Amino acid sequence: MELISLGSMFSREPAPLLGIDVSSTTVKLVELGRSRDGGLVLQHCAMDTLERGWINEGNIEKFDEVAEVLRRLVRKSGSKTKNVALALPGSAVITKKIVLPAGLSDREMEVQVESEATQYIPFPLADVSLDFCVIGPTNNSPSYVDVLLAASRKEKVSDRQGLAEAAGLTPVIMDVESYASRLAASRVIETLPNHGQDMLIALFEVGSQTTSLQVIRNEDVIYERDQMFGGVQLTNLISRHYGMSFDEADEKKKKGTLAADYNESVLRPFMENLAQELGRALQFFFTSTPHNKVDHILLSGGSASLPGLTEIVSAQTSFPCKVINPFDGMTIAPSVQAKQLAAEATSYLVATGLALRRFSQ
């Protein structure tokens, strides 16, 4: 999938680029470069936490506070790059694949896309940032092309844009989170047998509040679903089991300073529950499509790094399961703290996909 930038207000230049992922609980930053032999180099990488409620269901509720965290994050990362790629949550974007005659000029295509967009967008086009990209020739119809259009409310785009500008950065790409995560995951899919060709891949991202599933085959998404289940459930379990506040439970979880019975009494039941939720999501996929299996499960997100999770998920679902480290196969620059990265790598899927846009423009 080529770049999707929402709105022509963003220029597209292959200069150095920061991928910045703003989620409900954290802000993450990734900057990639190339080595002399063409391999990818992780140049900068950093993460900072947001307080609960600052971002709610993708909406920025505490703009100044989040902008300050972003400013601090850029300083902490050590990067001097100003151009950034950001992403909107899928819930804020309408995407639609349409078919248009091949050979249209850019201007003719814009007119056609706008007229098609009015059918799919439930609010006035004046309130919308709209963009499109040509995917390629339409199957069995060489005189037509498949075009992907993406639309979002202007205020959703300008919120994210304003956040970057408040931190002294220049937004040049606005992407969709699920597209960014697929771009980062595609590097891992290529390492599967036969480069993952014709395989059904279930890509799970276990976030703080929600877990999203995308089933992918040869770069096409054939199914998507979000579930209200995430890492916050583990914090709630810790809080209840040990009789401590949510914030204290969260801190002890991150620092690994919980009682000796934690693994058996709290962590294992949580992982089994998570595996059941993933299995349930796959059942929804099987009952609503002709498919009854997947070839591979890929896990990402903060909770994906829990030790032993892949075995539990494989046992629950009976499909092979692997954790995505989006930095696999990259050279890690000395400026990146390798030890911390090992613990947090699974959280950086979207930010890595955004940083990869530098090379796919």
Side-chain angles (χ1 to χ4, degrees), residues 111-172:
V111 172
Q112 288 270 23
V113 165
E114 284 197 8
S115 86
E116 290 270 346
T118 55
Q119 299 174 46
Y120 305 111
I121 296 165
F123 20 79
L125 280 189
D127 300 342
V128 169
S129 285
L130 182 68
D131 202 14
F132 65 91
C133 68
V134 177
I135 302 168
T138 302
N139 280 344
N140 308 324
S141 301
S143 56
Y144 288 86
V145 288
D146 289 338
V147 176
L148 187 72
L149 70 84
S152 181
R153 297 293 293 260
K154 276 184 177 162
E155 74 251 22
K156 300 274 188 194
V157 176
S158 57
D159 269 2
R160 289 283 199 279
Q161 186 188 13
L163 200 60
E165 287 166 352
L169 303 167
T170 307
V172 295

Side-chain angles (χ1 to χ4, degrees), residues 181-251:
S181 52
R182 286 204 296 280
L183 180 59
S186 66
R187 295 182 59 252
V188 177
I189 292 170
E190 282 170 9
T191 66
L192 296 173
N194 198 29
H195 306 295
Q197 280 299 302
D198 301 325
M199 279 189 173
L200 275 184
I201 309 290
L203 170 61
F204 283 102
E205 289 178 80
V206 186
S208 169
Q209 321 276 344
T210 54
T211 294
S212 68
L213 164 64
Q214 300 183 68
V215 182
I216 306 163
R217 182 175 54 203
N218 299 339
E219 297 186 14
D220 286 331
V221 179
I222 58 174
Y223 180 85
E224 285 185 88
R225 182 185 168 86
D226 285 351
Q227 268 172 283
M228 290 306 291
F229 188 90
V232 73
Q233 262 89 347
L234 177 55
T235 312
N236 286 329
L237 283 174
I238 295 167
S239 166
R240 281 204 299 276
H241 185 78
Y242 296 111
M244 55 179 72
S245 73
F246 180 93
D247 291 337
E248 188 185 353
D250 198 43
E251 191 176 340

Side-chain angles (χ1 to χ4, degrees), residues 23-63:
S23 73
S24 60
T25 53
T26 56
V27 183
K28 295 172 277 283
L29 175 154
V30 169
E31 184 173 10
L32 301 176
R34 287 236 188 249
S35 60
R36 282 190 178 155
D37 62 4
L40 288 168
V41 180
L42 177 60
Q43 293 174 324
H44 295 102
C45 179
M47 184 189 306
D48 212 330
T49 53
L50 301 173
E51 290 192 21
R52 275 189 298 165
W54 283 7
I55 291 192
N56 192 21
E57 295 182 354
N59 298 314
I60 303 165
E61 306 286 354
K62 297 282 186 185
F63 185 89

